[in-house]
Amino acid sequence: MGWGNPYFLLDILDKELPYLAYAPSFKGMIYGPYEGTPELIEETRKVIKHVLDQSYKHILITNGASNAINLLLRHFAEGGGRTVYTTEYGYPSYEEMIKRAGLDRVRDLDKYPFNLGTSQLSMRLIDSPENPHGHQHSIGSADTDIWDAVYHSKIYTKDLETKPNHKYLVGSYSKLLGIAGFRIGFIATNDTLAYESLVKQLHNETTGVSRPSQEYLTKILKTIDLELFMLKGRRDLWNNKTEFQKIEYLFDRQKVNENGMFYCVKADPKAVDILDKAGIVYVRLDQDTIRLSMGQTITTTQEAIKAILKEDGK
């Protein structure tokens, strides 16, 4: 239960699109276009409008949301940026991403300096809903900040109105559809110069994104009823959350998060020992805090909760 892939969404895709075939043309397996295929860019524009009710001038298809964030951090550093302000935890790879870009990290959005003289030196990377607590944020600047919006959909939150101001939007088809193996995310922005610079970075770094992945994803998006899919995803995630409520007693009745996909708790040694003996995988965020994924299939989640309760003699 440590991995952050929403496996429950793959079950829905298998039921919704059991016979969706895809036979690529090998003659079409060439480089570029580096910004993404026109068809997927157009479908992504529709997805952003449907899911987030946002519109942008430019969309760049990336190798997952991780690639998108790495590109944006390096772009910020190359422009003289120094410090990135984030939520307390955020995506577990934020720490390494920020470090590799040569930037400093401050794990507190409220410490962002509101000083015109330092506006080019600092930026916020705002994951909202927040990983792993599910908190949502409405702060941010349209001049500098990144909104990591991978969990902002009907699947993971009821509140779709709370949105941070931002210069860049980062999205993930891994979290929207469960298809992590496709490795497709995106950046959306209205800044033309920044967009052109990011396209060059993507070209130099990965020579674009897999054409078969883009073409198959385009076919999925044109076939699926996205609204119905999200509602089914929300239903299944809430079924998993109901299962997790059965183990809240292990963690001093800390409540299962209403938003997002994770159960984040302060866990004492006894509770951790029970998880270990039950064979449950988790992510340790600090000395006292762990993160459990509620994104497994319903069957896997039920089996895991039964194993925990059995280990505790319940």
Side-chain angles (χ1 to χ4, degrees), residues 115-174:
N115 185 324
L116 292 177
T118 61
S119 62
Q120 300 303 313
L121 303 178
S122 303
M123 62 165 280
R124 283 168 289 200
L125 171 52
I126 307 168
D127 56 319
S128 178
E130 184 181 329
N131 181 345
H133 293 296
H135 302 323
Q136 292 179 271
H137 303 277
S138 58
I139 58 174
S141 167
D143 296 322
T144 56
D145 295 344
I146 301 169
W147 177 21
D148 182 347
V150 300
Y151 293 109
H152 190 96
S153 77
K154 289 182 179 178
I155 298 170
Y156 304 103
T157 180
K158 292 180 180 178
D159 179 9
L160 296 174
E161 298 303 316
T162 300
K163 305 170 187 176
N165 291 321
H166 57 283
K167 182 176 182 177
Y168 306 103
L169 169 78
V170 171
S172 166
Y173 282 111
S174 299

Side-chain angles (χ1 to χ4, degrees), residues 36-99:
T37 64
E39 295 80 10
L40 182 55
I41 289 173
E42 181 57 30
E43 289 303 313
T44 299
R45 197 177 299 281
K46 295 176 185 176
V47 166
I48 293 172
K49 184 63 179 177
H50 184 157
V51 177
L52 304 171
D53 193 26
Q54 301 277 120
S55 299
Y56 300 87
K57 188 182 297 184
H58 304 291
I59 295 172
L60 175 63
I61 304 300
T62 61
N63 288 276
S66 296
N67 178 220
I69 292 171
N70 275 316
L71 288 170
L72 290 168
L73 290 172
R74 285 197 294 275
H75 177 73
F76 175 62
E78 289 170 2
R82 296 180 183 176
T83 307
V84 180
Y85 292 79
T86 72
T87 54
E88 181 181 9
Y89 296 116
Y91 179 48
S93 295
Y94 278 175
E95 186 71 20
E96 189 63 26
M97 290 174 170
I98 293 169
K99 185 186 301 182

